[in-house]
Amino acid sequence: MRLRRSPAALVAAIAAVVIALTGCGADSQAAAGEPGEKFTLRIGVIGSGNRLTGPVGYLHDKSALVPLLADAGVGGVEVFSFPNGPDLNQALVAGELDLATYGDTPALVARGAGQPTRLIAQAAVGLDAAIVTKKGGPGSLQELAGRKIATQTGSYMHRYLLGALTDAKIEPKEIVHIYASDIEAALERGDVDAAAVPAANVEALRYKSYPVIDTLAVDHPQYRGTSATVVTETFLGEHAGFVKTWQAAQVEATRQAKASWDEYLSFAVDVGGFASDIVRKTTLEEQLPDTPFTDEGLTLLEGTKRFLVQQGFVRKDFAVDDWIAPEARG
């Protein structure tokens, strides 16, 4: 089954990528500065509060990230939060960011639209989600046929939802874009019958007795999400050695997070906005790889890319191996 639902936000982002490709270099060069000078690394993330999450965010929160990046010329870090991947992609292609760390789905869509990025790491592998329904609503995946379903379009949850429906040969009435933070209100009002949301949101909704009818990691593990850390090709050309420096910082951040797990979880509670018991249940050490790339992470990434090509969300197919920056290999 081919679901012909190119969400407006995703389509707009792709269009912005194509239009802006020829005009982003000068702004990026101005922000980066001359070779050898200290510069401020501009990082785009998904979330709020302009804060880095994950182990790298944990390190940055302790003022320990910039020193690890100093050898690459980084004198400071500025973080910009975006509500979803398509919005971040527009800022990246406009030359307003140097690096982005976000979900694999929007990163793949952008690359497939011709956005000149290079993949340098995966900071998280095996991200979970689930399909939650309104109270008294559909009781199974099959009962979603002809129903209205919400998700955050352009996300790994969106990819999971489409994959689960396709595998079950289910045709919903409509898939609509709603941010994960607004899903509960939509379910409460009956605006939608079900929604695909991240693991932490699932637990928050489960606590309030919203039924969970399908779980990504249990029912469709091949669709688990990963993160993608990408840099622009312009930035990469101006900062030789940055990739290895960033990868080393990510590895060290993960090591420190796992070595001080309770402290890391406290950071995750602070930055995530969820209750401590939810964060502790959904933040898993095994989702944080000890190396920049793993076989599992690349396998999941390839599967996501292949599905997005089949669905038409990735306009032009490409090899993941060609997307990875040469300096990032090994």
Side-chain angles (χ1 to χ4, degrees):
M1 177 181 68
R2 186 181 182 85
L3 299 180
R4 298 176 181 175
R5 298 179 186 84
S6 294
L10 199 55
V11 172
I14 293 173
V17 166
V18 175
I19 292 170
L21 281 175
T22 59
C24 63
D27 290 342
S28 180
Q29 291 172 4
E34 296 299 323
E37 292 182 358
K38 291 293 182 181
F39 66 95
T40 297
L41 181 67
R42 304 168 302 169
I43 303 177
V45 299
I46 305 301
S48 60
N50 296 328
R51 295 183 68 182
L52 281 171
T53 58
V56 171
Y58 169 65
L59 221 59
H60 187 47
D61 199 60
K62 300 196 298 180
S63 300
L65 177 61
V66 171
L68 290 181
L69 301 176
D71 286 347
V74 176
V77 167
E78 191 169 5
V79 183
F80 300 89
S81 298
F82 298 85
N84 64 359
D87 291 333
L88 188 155
N89 280 338
Q90 292 188 53
L92 192 64
V93 78
E96 297 168 357
L97 301 171
D98 305 309
L99 178 148
T101 179
Y102 58 151
D104 53 13
T105 295
L108 287 163
V109 168
R111 179 65 180 185
Q115 186 164 333
T117 62
R118 285 302 188 111
L119 181 67
I120 65 171
Q122 290 179 288
V125 172
L127 301 176
D128 202 5
I131 298 174
V132 181
T133 69
K134 65 182 182 181
K135 297 173 183 178
S140 68
L141 201 62
Q142 287 68 31
E143 291 180 25
L144 293 180
R147 303 293 190 115
K148 190 174 183 179
I149 311 171
T151 194
Q152 194 161 304
T153 58
S155 66
Y156 80 91
M157 297 86 71
H158 186 201
R159 179 267 197 273
Y160 150 57
L161 173 63
L162 292 179
L165 294 176
T166 299
D167 289 348
K169 296 180 173 58
I170 293 168
E171 185 72 32
K173 176 182 178 181
E174 186 180 6
I175 294 177
V176 297
H177 168 66
I178 299 179
Y179 292 124
S181 58
D182 299 326
I183 290 292
E184 182 181 353
L187 290 170
E188 179 69 24
R189 292 191 303 264
D191 294 344
V192 297
D193 298 295
V197 293
N201 297 79
V202 172
E203 294 307 316
L205 290 167
R206 195 198 302 269
Y207 179 77
K208 297 181 180 180
S209 301
Y210 285 92
V212 177
I213 62 169
D214 193 89
T215 301
L216 171 52
V218 175
D219 301 307
H220 307 276
Q222 72 275 24
Y223 297 150
R224 287 171 298 152
T226 70
S227 71
T229 301
V230 303
V231 294
T232 65
E233 290 184 351
T234 297
F235 176 83
L236 198 61
E238 295 171 348
H239 298 283
F242 174 81
V243 172
K244 289 298 184 184
T245 300
W246 177 271
Q247 288 182 333
Q250 177 181 301
V251 169
E252 176 60 16
T254 302
R255 186 195 69 77
Q256 290 193 30
K258 290 182 176 180
S260 304
W261 192 244
D262 284 342
E263 184 178 280
Y264 175 70
L265 289 177
S266 295
F267 161 76
V269 170
D270 181 50
V271 75
F274 288 96
S276 177
D277 58 335
I278 291 176
V279 172
R280 291 176 181 276
K281 185 174 182 179
T282 58
T283 304
L284 308 177
E285 288 190 56
E286 56 264 33
Q287 292 178 341
L288 305 178
D290 297 318
T291 56
F293 293 105
T294 63
D295 290 342
E296 180 187 21
L298 291 174
T299 297
L300 290 172
L301 186 67
E302 177 61 36
T304 298
K305 191 262 300 183
R306 185 166 57 249
F307 181 84
L308 293 172
V309 169
Q310 293 169 350
Q311 291 290 320
F313 288 105
V314 167
R315 287 185 172 182
K316 184 178 180 181
D317 198 3
F318 60 92
V320 169
D321 193 55
D322 292 340
W323 185 30
I324 297 173
E327 303 92 322
R329 303 177 192 280

